[in-house]
Amino acid sequence: MGILVNGTWQVDQLINNKEDGKFVRPDSPFRDWITADGSPGPDGQRAYPAAKGRYHLYVSLACPWAHRTLIVRALKGLEDMISLSVVHWHMGDQSWSFEAGDGVIADPVIHADYLHQIYTLAKPDMTGKVTVPVLFDKQAKKIVNNESADIIRILNEAFNDLGALPGDFYPLPLRGEIDEINERIYHTLNNGVYQCGFATTQAAYEEAFVPLFETLDFLNEELETQEYLIANQLTEADIRLFTTLIRFDSVYFSHFKCNKKRIQDYPYLHRFVERMMLNPKIANTVNLHHIKHHYYGSHKQLNPSGVVPLGPELIY
């Protein structure tokens, strides 16, 4: 683990909380956009034009944030338009690497050994964390965006005129409802599990634990009478929820001390995960080996031995 400081890699601890013990996720520094014709993004951001073969996606199969982008890339049929690299599950002193291993896809841009080399290629004086996903412009040698919430919306719309598969996971009439439920799920669940797992005081842990399970209770009730969260159709809200739920019982329940209930103890959340896994495009993006080995094998502050548990037995 580490951080870039003025373009130089410095080894650092995974968890560096302040005195209150709360984990604070850093903001994503690259927030440009891709649109069909290069016109500005939805909030006026600088944008690049959609083009087949121009853009490259860097992901980890372990990371729930990167997993969102893999799912939308698959559902939109963008595999031949946006190339892909997959980092190794183990995150060591140099952070994400392209060390050879099952499921790893090497970097074709500069044949990098480490993802931080892609960051300094794009911004030589970069200071900050090196995270996945990364949407990279191979033509301009720039990082377009490294915020997963942005990237899934880019993939949802920008390539439609170039032959992307039909399907709109952020439809205009439902955006208000999607944004509202995303807000709760992000703060209390997607990020909430990390606030539990990376808390370094009891108070910080309990402050995150309670709303986490209040949200799971709420979502279980919401899904009792419908298949998906909004208007009973698959939207980005479901995708953002799924990537946390699929990791919950294997990792977050024990490794992050989110141990009040498993997803298998919630009948409608469990049914939701089963339904999502019935879609082969989604199921093919799930790699439980990378997920479990990354968390238990990389987070030495939480699991110094690096021993990876063999269980639990999942029913998906």
Side-chain angles (χ1 to χ4, degrees):
M1 294 66 167
I3 191 170
L4 282 168
V5 178
N6 294 323
T8 300
W9 184 255
Q10 296 187 5
V11 176
D12 198 3
Q13 293 191 100
L14 172 68
I15 305 170
N16 282 308
N17 295 347
K18 295 182 180 179
E19 290 183 4
D20 63 6
K22 295 180 182 179
F23 168 69
V24 178
R25 184 172 298 281
D27 291 334
S28 302
F30 298 95
R31 303 294 295 272
D32 290 342
W33 215 262
I34 299 171
T35 57
D37 58 1
S39 57
D43 295 321
Q45 306 97 317
R46 177 174 60 180
Y48 303 83
K52 184 176 181 179
R54 176 170 172 173
Y55 301 101
H56 190 75
L57 185 62
Y58 293 92
V59 302
S60 160
L61 301 181
C63 171
W65 316 99
H67 193 181
R68 302 171 173 185
T69 68
L70 273 179
I71 291 174
V72 177
R73 176 177 177 265
L75 292 175
K76 295 293 291 187
L78 298 175
E79 293 92 339
D80 292 334
M81 294 189 200
I82 300 172
S83 51
L84 182 72
S85 286
V86 177
V87 297
H88 197 277
W89 58 261
H90 183 255
M91 190 168 65
D93 285 346
Q94 298 288 321
S95 192
W96 299 113
S97 81
F98 297 99
E99 176 187 348
D102 182 51
V104 175
I105 302 176
D107 167 50
V109 176
I110 58 170
H111 308 290
D113 294 316
Y114 305 104
L115 185 62
H116 66 71
Q117 295 168 322
I118 301 300
Y119 274 71
T120 53
L121 170 66
K123 188 177 181 182
D125 62 348
M126 169 73 187
T127 293
K129 291 287 188 180
V130 170
T131 62
V132 285
V134 172
L135 186 57
F136 187 83
D137 182 345
K138 294 184 286 187
Q139 178 177 308
K141 298 293 190 291
K142 296 290 184 182
I143 294 175
V144 177
N145 200 298
N146 71 331
E147 170 51 59
S148 66
D150 292 349
I151 294 173
I152 62 175
R153 292 186 181 175
I154 290 170
L155 302 184
N156 182 57
E157 287 191 0
F159 297 86
N160 287 343
D161 293 342
L162 297 178
L165 293 178
D168 183 358
F169 306 111
Y170 190 53
L172 186 59
L174 302 179
R175 288 182 182 182
E177 294 177 75
I178 293 171
D179 290 344
E180 182 179 358
I181 201 163
N182 279 349
E183 186 76 5
R184 177 170 184 176
I185 290 172
Y186 169 76
H187 287 291
T188 61
L189 181 55
N190 298 145
N191 199 45
V193 293
Y194 284 87
Q195 290 175 323
C196 288
F198 289 169
T200 52
T201 66
Q202 187 69 30
Y205 165 70
E206 293 182 10
E207 185 178 327
F209 186 94
V210 172
L212 166 63
F213 282 94
E214 287 176 346
T215 293
L216 286 174
D217 291 341
F218 161 74
L219 293 170
N220 188 62
E221 291 178 7
E222 288 291 297
L223 290 166
E224 180 177 0
T225 57
Q226 57 191 42
E227 294 186 350
Y228 300 108
L229 291 172
I230 306 294
N232 211 25
Q233 67 183 73
L234 179 64
T235 70
E236 69 167 46
D238 301 294
I239 295 167
R240 289 165 57 125
L241 172 61
F242 170 77
T243 60
T244 295
L245 297 188
I246 195 64
R247 288 161 172 76
F248 199 96
D249 291 2
S250 294
V251 174
Y252 303 143
F253 181 85
S254 56
H255 186 56
F256 278 1
K257 306 181 186 71
C258 302
N259 59 355
K260 183 179 180 181
K261 290 183 181 180
R262 305 167 303 165
I263 299 307
Q264 293 190 54
D265 299 323
Y266 287 101
Y268 307 114
L269 287 176
H270 182 245
R271 184 179 67 182
F272 169 81
V273 175
E274 287 185 311
R275 182 180 300 111
M276 295 288 278
M277 288 292 285
L278 287 174
N279 186 323
K281 290 181 179 292
I282 295 174
N284 288 339
T285 66
V286 177
N287 188 311
L288 285 172
H289 177 84
H290 274 235
I291 290 168
K292 291 176 62 175
H293 281 74
H294 165 68
Y295 284 95
Y296 289 104
S298 300
H299 295 174
K300 293 302 178 70
Q301 284 177 269
L302 301 182
N303 186 33
S305 70
V307 171
V308 181
L310 294 178
E313 183 176 330
L314 299 177
I315 311 170
Y316 298 131

